[in-house]
Amino acid sequence: MLTEFSLIDKFFKKETQQNSETRLGIGDDCALLAIPNGYELAITTDTMVENVHFFADANPIQLGHKLLAVNLSDLAAMGAKPLAITLALTLPRIDEHWLSAFSQGLLTLAQRYNVDLIGGDTTKGALTLTVQAIGLVPNKQALKRSTAQVGDIIYMTGLLGDAGLGLKIKQGYECQSKNALMRFHEPMPRIEIGLALRNVASACVDISDGLVGDLSHILKQSNVGACLDFDKLPLSDDVKKYIEKTGDKFMPLIAGDDYELCFTVPPKLAHRVPENCTAIGIIEKESGLRLKKSGHIETFTAKGYEHFS
Ligand SMILES: [Mg+2]
């Protein structure tokens, strides 16, 4: 039986730290990070619980990837460059095969973004996975939720609703889309775009709980409203087919797990928005979220949506 120390050592300790800011990694009571002059730390944490956030039969490589991806997505949404993570694992038993696959998924993504794993803890109990991620952002350049302005254009990265479709497939919807399942199991954090949005976006969130829910955070905290143009939403052919077949046109708007960025940009900075981003709406003075579709305007409420005009 592996002890806690040997478990982290065996599966998660890396030979070299990748960032000069990492002064001390795994092995002491605390890790030590240097904060460069002119920077702030961006810190976030996300937990995934078996049977709540993932299925009991989930592939451990994909779980390791997704656990890190959802945390890095929050750093991306703030315009922060990933630096380091800590990892807390609650495991029902020590399964070396599972741990090896899980660490492979997590460390492969960590390496891609030069993220140092600087500490961790393991306990026994129902399978619960937690990462705390730490990033760097230049002073006062973090992308917040509270700073959208009336007249700003609303954009999003990538495509909307594919992860939601992946979940529908897991729940029994018949569709052959491997892409939708990949987007559900292995989201890619939009780190590069988050960095490119510093001094461009006026506000930003990542779409973890659904576009409507996450954009509503920007609207509430910025004290503004918005109108989304349904016909401009970037939907894959698979999602369009799903809507045709089921009539469930709001799935892409309310489904979570896409981990794309949704952000607002003043019109005069629109030329600096990176490629692969789509303008989907406009920030308005009137509070609430409206949806324009085929010339009609509908308004969303907490219960879903209702016809407005
Ligand atoms: Mg978030």
Side-chain angles (χ1 to χ4, degrees), residues 6 14 100 120 143 304 306:
S6 60
K14 305 262 300 282
S100 168
L143 308 172
E306 59 188 21

Side-chain angles (χ1 to χ4, degrees), residues 132-211:
Q132 179 185 54
I134 300 158
L136 291 170
V137 61
N139 281 342
K140 296 186 176 162
Q141 288 187 28
L143 308 172
K144 294 187 288 189
R145 298 175 170 187
S146 56
T147 39
Q149 298 281 333
V150 174
D152 287 353
I153 304 164
I154 303 166
Y155 290 85
M156 64 164 290
T157 60
L159 296 169
L160 191 66
D162 283 305
L165 179 60
L167 178 60
K168 296 280 181 195
I169 294 171
K170 286 288 291 177
Q171 291 169 335
Y173 173 73
E174 276 188 44
C175 169
Q176 299 297 318
S177 177
K178 283 203 179 96
N179 177 59
L181 283 170
M182 275 298 283
R183 292 293 310 275
F184 177 69
H185 289 302
E186 294 185 42
M188 283 309 291
R190 301 299 180 199
I191 296 293
E192 295 86 354
I193 294 181
L195 298 178
L197 290 176
R198 289 175 183 169
N199 299 316
V200 175
S202 52
C204 187
V205 285
D206 67 326
I207 306 175
S208 52
D209 299 327
L211 176 63

